Amino acid sequence: MTEAGAGRQDDDGGGESTITVIVAALANLGIAVAKAVAGVISGSSAMLSEAAHSVADTVTELLLLTALKRSEKPADEDHPLGYGPERYIWAMLAAVATFVGGAVFSLYDGIHTLVAGEEPGDPLVSYIVLAVAFLLESYSLRTGVRQARGEAERVGAPFKRYLRYTPDTAVKAVVLEDSAALIGLVLAAGGLLGGQLTGSGVWDGIASLCIGLLLLYVAWVLGRSNAELLIGRPLPKPMRERIRAELLAVEHVEAVLELTTLVQGPREALVAAKVDFRDVSTAAQIEWACEQAEARLREAFPVVSRVYLDPTPGYAQRRHEGLNPWP
């Protein structure tokens, strides 16, 4: 993202994320039941894999809703920095649910079909369910993409780059999972059509394997994104440079010796810095300089919710005092 990318997040973004996730959850719940019924009637392993896919997506959305609600809790004595990072724990569990509930079942079912064989049944019900599911998934994806594009435009970042680096992993999960769902529906339809034309269940097994690999990829991407944020991701480099410039523009500040930033949520970040103030500055002037620095950062970057400045002797002064010049 650009330097404005993490700095201009709207306060209502969390509400939009919640609506996006709810729409996806409701769509996937109905689709899962329909796919399961169609899979049993048609005897299609690809349809059963798609049912497992939708069940996994429904569980994922429920976990994402939990993440959104838990992360909104205000800071308290036991958690002075707030609960923002908790969303990434639940989002990580959602990625695990996609892996276990969708990918593993689909891969197993595909292998079982190829080894044991399958007797294709009447695919008519499955085709109808796939068509309806495609419409519902398309609407859910449209909701997620619309929010993601709106956020990307507001922060001045290309859509693909925003989706790759956004700390709003709930929207990212919905967009990726619904995209995978549409691809999975096409694969399932291809497996049914191949079985119908050839009378062989091999095509259905191959479709099920492809769906499993697709879900495996989605789970890996989401897991990696949440792991990065749990470990600790800094603000984008252009934004860090702007923060450094804002600090240097404050009266009485000589140098920024060390700058640390940490993303704590989609609209929450921490800034900590070791700052060298002018040696002739009084204690009161340093205090007011710190207040001014925090005000400048909050105005320029609303996402910055916490600022900690540590007055630190500069390199020349540390050498003069016989101290390690590198704090």
Side-chain angles (χ1 to χ4, degrees):
M1 279 190 275
T2 63
E3 63 270 18
R8 294 201 305 267
Q9 297 278 358
D10 288 348
D11 292 338
D12 60 351
E16 292 181 8
S17 298
T18 301
I19 293 173
T20 299
V21 174
I22 290 175
V23 169
L26 292 176
N28 281 309
L29 182 60
I31 291 170
V33 175
K35 286 178 180 177
V37 173
V40 172
I41 294 175
S42 65
S44 169
S45 63
M47 284 301 297
L48 292 176
S49 295
E50 272 298 295
H53 181 175
S54 294
V55 170
D57 285 352
T58 303
V59 174
T60 294
E61 264 91 52
L62 292 176
L63 289 171
L64 291 176
L65 283 173
T66 302
L68 292 172
K69 294 302 180 184
R70 294 282 299 177
S71 63
E72 291 174 356
K73 295 171 61 178
D76 53 35
E77 186 176 351
D78 293 328
H79 299 83
L81 297 182
Y83 291 80
E86 186 172 350
R87 73 165 53 210
Y88 302 123
I89 297 175
W90 290 96
M92 176 67 81
L93 293 176
V96 173
T98 298
F99 171 75
V100 176
V104 172
F105 178 85
S106 298
L107 291 172
Y108 167 79
D109 202 38
I111 294 172
H112 180 268
T113 299
L114 292 177
V115 173
E118 177 185 282
E119 194 67 32
D122 186 1
L124 178 60
V125 175
S126 295
Y127 284 134
I128 295 174
V129 169
L130 289 175
V132 173
F134 196 91
L135 294 175
L136 293 175
E137 294 285 8
S138 297
Y139 177 76
S140 177
L141 178 61
R142 175 178 174 271
T143 303
V145 169
R146 183 171 57 185
Q147 181 188 349
R149 286 192 181 279
E151 290 292 334
E153 291 176 2
R154 280 192 285 270
V155 302
F159 175 71
K160 290 183 178 180
R161 184 171 177 80
Y162 172 82
L163 201 62
R164 167 67 180 86
Y165 292 103
T166 177
D168 193 348
T169 52
V171 173
K172 182 174 183 174
V174 169
V175 172
L176 288 180
E177 289 176 354
D178 285 346
S179 299
L182 292 177
I183 298 173
L185 292 172
V186 174
L187 291 172
L192 286 170
L193 182 61
Q196 186 179 9
L197 294 177
T198 64
S200 171
V202 171
W203 294 100
D204 211 38
I206 293 175
S208 186
L209 285 176
C210 290
I211 293 169
L213 293 174
L214 177 65
L215 290 176
L216 192 64
Y217 172 75
V218 171
W220 178 76
V221 171
L222 294 178
R224 182 188 62 182
S225 298
N226 286 288
E228 289 177 356
L229 290 160
L230 281 172
I231 294 170
R233 181 199 291 175
L235 292 170
K237 185 176 180 180
M239 185 176 177
R240 298 199 302 269
E241 293 174 353
R242 280 279 310 277
I243 289 174
R244 187 181 294 272
E246 290 288 343
L247 291 174
L248 290 173
V250 176
E251 188 180 4
H252 301 292
V253 172
E254 286 284 349
V256 178
L257 307 177
E258 182 180 323
L259 178 63
T260 301
T261 64
L262 180 65
V263 175
Q264 296 183 293
R267 283 154 291 279
E268 191 175 1
L270 178 148
V271 173
K274 289 182 177 292
V275 179
D276 178 21
F277 291 92
R278 294 176 183 172
D279 295 339
V280 296
S281 299
T282 65
Q285 288 173 328
I286 291 176
E287 289 173 351
W288 281 110
C290 290
E291 289 294 315
Q292 183 183 358
E294 181 174 357
R296 289 178 67 102
L297 291 180
R298 287 179 179 273
E299 182 179 359
F301 309 103
V303 72
V304 174
S305 55
R306 296 176 180 86
V307 179
Y308 301 104
L309 301 180
D310 179 15
T312 305
Y315 303 134
Q317 184 179 350
R318 295 181 71 86
R319 287 195 184 96
H320 178 72
E321 297 294 338
L323 301 173
N324 183 358
W326 302 101

